[in-house]
Amino acid sequence: TSGSLQRPRTDQANRSYSDCEDVLNEAEVNSNWTPQEKALHEARLKAKAKRRLRKSSSRNSTSESFSESGDLAGADPNSPKGKVNTNDRKSRTGKGRGLPKKGGAGGKGVWGAAGMVYEDEEPDVRDPNYDESAQGDTVYAKVVPEIDERELEKMVNPIVQEYFEHGDTKEVQLLLKELNLGHNKYEFSSMAVSLSLEGKASHRELTSRLLSDLSGKLLSQNDMGRAFDKMLKELPDLILDTPEAPQMLGQFIARAIADHVLPMSFLDCYKGKVDCDHARVALDRAAVLLSMKREMVRLDNVWGVGGGLRPVKHLIKEMNLLLKEYLISGDVSEAERCLRDLEVPHFHHELVYEAVVMVLEAKGDKASHMMMKLLQSFWKTGLITVDQMNRGFQRVYDELPEISLDVPHAHSIMETFVDLCYQESVITKQLRDVCPSRGRKRFVSEGDGGVIKS
């Protein structure tokens, strides 16, 4: 038709847009265009149509046709302003094949695609769920801080004092293993020896055994040497509390060398190098003990066998010797010291028994008065308790018939001694009343016809 120009449709582009009327109107307005301008304008329109067709290729072909104003013809009528459903899983960027994102293998709370094998991941320390204890390579070790010199004495003294009570060296080893003595471990030996110097002979024997058991396990010969070297330097202070400290320390050194706690060359290191007189006394004492014939063997009893470790026969022999020396000297204090040195308070009833038997076997009244004074002294000082006193006398009561075979007047002597002890408050009234007495039958003269007087 005249005055109008119709825009051709191309089968290749398969255009679905209805903009022919706009093209005609535009052509009418620009009817005075030259052929070149018309050709350029048609090329621009074709390129624009191709771009629109390429952009909408991923949408449904049945509902995705746009008008020239840009409105979506197949949009949801309930959607505001023709927006696409936001729950649609298809890509809205114009890219992709319309499949679910990541193929269903990603996102929050999912394990990933089927058949996917994950590699081991190193735990991240910054992860809030990081658990250090759950790591297999984690190794935990108990760290005990090293004890300083101030706390060492507070920790060691109770251990040594308890050891003097139970005498178990293994218990001491377990307690020391729990402590980190560090470079001050040699001071344990010096503290143990110092405490034993203030104690009894049995404590010194236990200390020597402890040092022998600890040597080579927790303490080396070098540690023992440092400990005794320190003790030699501290002798001037130790003498203030224990005047016999130099002699005792010399015995400790000799016993340690005999037990291989100290090396044999320990004494040689001090020859001509000691200025302290007390240290020289201790070293000379050790040298004398080690040089005596077969003294290395007898050093096991350098402290004696203390307390209940002594055999019963040996204790009885010591008590008999003690009582005989007392009958000769009459020194009550010396007898008391000897009895305390035996360290057998549970066996003091044997002393009472032996004392009463000596009174029965002795001639004259001197022995009975001296034994009464001795028992009275032990009773007042508490060295012999009520139970020990009663037990000793009761043993004599029970054996009195057998004693009478050797001592015919044993019953009369016993009655006299018991009355004397009761008058001096040595024994109780109940103990006096149970004293056995032999009934005597007195016959009348021949003129009475031999009738026995009642």
Side-chain angles (χ1 to χ4, degrees):
T1 57
S2 61
S4 65
L5 179 62
Q6 186 174 358
R7 190 175 182 177
R9 293 173 178 259
T10 61
D11 295 337
Q12 181 181 0
N14 193 15
R15 293 183 55 187
S16 61
Y17 300 101
S18 57
D19 56 345
C20 295
E21 295 180 358
D22 295 339
V23 174
L24 292 176
N25 293 335
E26 186 178 359
E28 290 178 356
V29 175
N30 300 322
S31 56
N32 54 351
W33 283 359
T34 60
Q36 292 80 3
E37 292 176 348
K38 290 180 181 180
L40 180 62
H41 183 65
E42 290 179 359
R44 289 176 178 175
L45 292 178
K46 290 180 180 179
K48 187 175 181 181
K50 288 182 179 180
R51 287 196 301 271
R52 290 181 178 178
L53 182 62
R54 192 183 305 112
K55 184 176 181 181
S56 61
S57 62
S58 61
R59 303 179 185 273
N60 289 333
S61 58
T62 57
S63 59
E64 291 180 359
S65 59
F66 289 88
S67 62
E68 188 177 358
S69 63
D71 294 337
L72 185 62
D76 187 3
N78 297 326
S79 178
K81 297 183 180 181
K83 291 184 179 180
V84 183
N85 188 5
T86 56
N87 294 328
D88 188 8
R89 297 181 64 185
K90 296 181 180 181
S91 175
R92 292 182 290 275
T93 60
K95 299 180 181 179
R97 298 174 297 165
L99 300 176
K101 291 184 292 184
K102 298 183 181 180
K108 183 178 180 181
V110 296
W111 289 96
M116 182 179 295
V117 179
Y118 293 93
E119 297 180 355
D120 294 335
E121 296 183 1
E122 294 294 334
D124 188 2
V125 180
R126 296 173 295 179
D127 189 353
N129 296 325
Y130 178 78
D131 186 6
E132 185 177 0
S133 61
Q135 308 305 318
D137 298 336
T138 304
V139 178
Y140 294 93
K142 183 178 180 180
V143 179
V144 180
E146 182 177 344
I147 301 177
D148 56 10
E149 296 182 0
R150 297 179 180 179
E151 297 180 356
L152 182 61
E153 185 174 358
K154 297 180 181 179
M155 302 290 289
V156 169
N157 282 355
I159 295 176
V160 177
Q161 294 293 349
E162 290 180 3
Y163 168 69
F164 289 159
E165 297 295 331
H166 57 71
D168 188 359
T169 58
K170 294 183 179 180
E171 180 69 19
V172 179
Q173 294 180 23
L174 294 176
L175 294 175
L176 293 181
K177 287 181 179 179
E178 296 178 358
L179 303 178
N180 186 8
L181 299 179
H183 62 281
N184 294 324
K185 61 181 180 179
Y186 74 94
E187 294 190 4
F188 172 80
S189 302
S190 61
M191 291 182 181
V193 173
S194 299
L195 292 175
S196 66
L197 293 179
E198 301 173 0
K200 306 175 184 178
S202 60
H203 294 169
R204 294 187 281 275
E205 174 64 23
L206 290 172
T207 303
S208 295
R209 294 183 182 181
L210 178 62
L211 297 181
S212 178
D213 291 344
L214 294 181
S215 179
K217 298 178 182 178
L218 296 178
L219 300 174
S220 61
Q221 285 190 347
N222 186 24
D223 296 330
M224 295 294 183
R226 294 179 62 186
F228 280 102
D229 182 70
K230 180 182 178 183
M231 295 289 296
L232 290 172
K233 295 178 181 178
E234 294 178 352
L235 271 179
D237 297 331
L238 295 175
I239 289 178
L240 300 177
D241 298 328
T242 309
E244 299 177 355
Q247 292 80 6
M248 292 182 181
L249 185 58
Q251 290 177 267
F252 264 115
I253 294 174
R255 174 67 179 272
I257 294 176
D259 293 340
H260 304 286
V261 174
L262 292 175
M264 296 295 295
S265 60
F266 180 79
L267 296 178
D268 298 336
C269 299
Y270 291 93
K271 288 184 177 180
K273 301 180 181 179
V274 180
D275 297 331
C276 180
D277 296 335
H278 304 298
R280 278 199 294 267
V281 171
L283 294 173
D284 292 342
R285 174 65 174 169
V288 169
L289 291 175
L290 292 172
S291 61
M292 293 175 63
K293 185 178 180 180
R294 293 182 299 175
E295 189 63 25
M296 293 290 289
V297 179
R298 294 203 299 260
L299 280 176
D300 291 340
N301 295 327
V302 68
W303 305 115
V305 183
L309 300 177
R310 294 175 179 238
V312 175
K313 292 183 179 180
H314 179 76
L315 292 174
I316 295 175
K317 183 179 178 181
E318 291 288 337
M319 289 184 178
N320 275 322
L321 182 61
L322 181 155
L323 293 173
K324 290 178 181 179
E325 290 179 354
Y326 166 71
L327 291 177
I328 296 174
S329 64
D331 191 351
V332 177
S333 60
E334 179 65 18
E336 181 179 349
R337 186 190 66 81
C338 293
L339 183 60
R340 291 184 183 275
D341 288 344
L342 292 178
E343 300 178 18
V344 283
H346 60 282
F347 201 60
H348 285 177
H349 62 85
E350 181 66 27
L351 179 74
V352 178
Y353 171 82
E354 296 294 338
V356 177
V357 171
M358 281 189 180
V359 171
L360 297 178
E361 296 177 351
K363 296 180 181 180
D365 297 335
K366 180 182 178 181
S368 60
H369 285 83
M370 292 185 68
M371 288 300 181
M372 183 273 299
K373 291 181 180 179
L374 181 65
L375 295 178
Q376 185 182 31
S377 176
F378 289 168
W379 167 262
K380 290 181 179 179
T381 56
L383 193 58
I384 296 180
T385 62
V386 178
D387 296 334
Q388 299 286 350
M389 189 73 73
N390 292 341
R391 186 176 179 184
F393 273 89
Q394 190 62 49
R395 287 177 58 192
V396 180
Y397 292 168
D398 297 338
E399 298 179 8
L400 198 56
E402 298 179 2
I403 298 175
S404 298
L405 299 178
D406 298 328
V407 184
H409 302 287
H411 283 84
S412 60
I413 299 174
M414 188 68 189
E415 290 177 2
T416 304
F417 184 69
V418 168
D419 290 337
L420 180 62
C421 291
Y422 174 71
Q423 292 175 4
E424 298 295 334
S425 302
V426 177
I427 62 175
T428 61
K429 184 177 182 298
Q430 292 80 2
L431 186 60
R432 185 202 65 171
D433 294 340
V434 297
C435 177
S437 61
R438 173 183 293 178
R440 293 178 297 171
K441 297 180 181 181
R442 299 182 61 186
F443 292 90
V444 296
S445 63
E446 294 179 358
D448 293 333
V451 181
I452 300 176
K453 289 184 178 181
S454 60

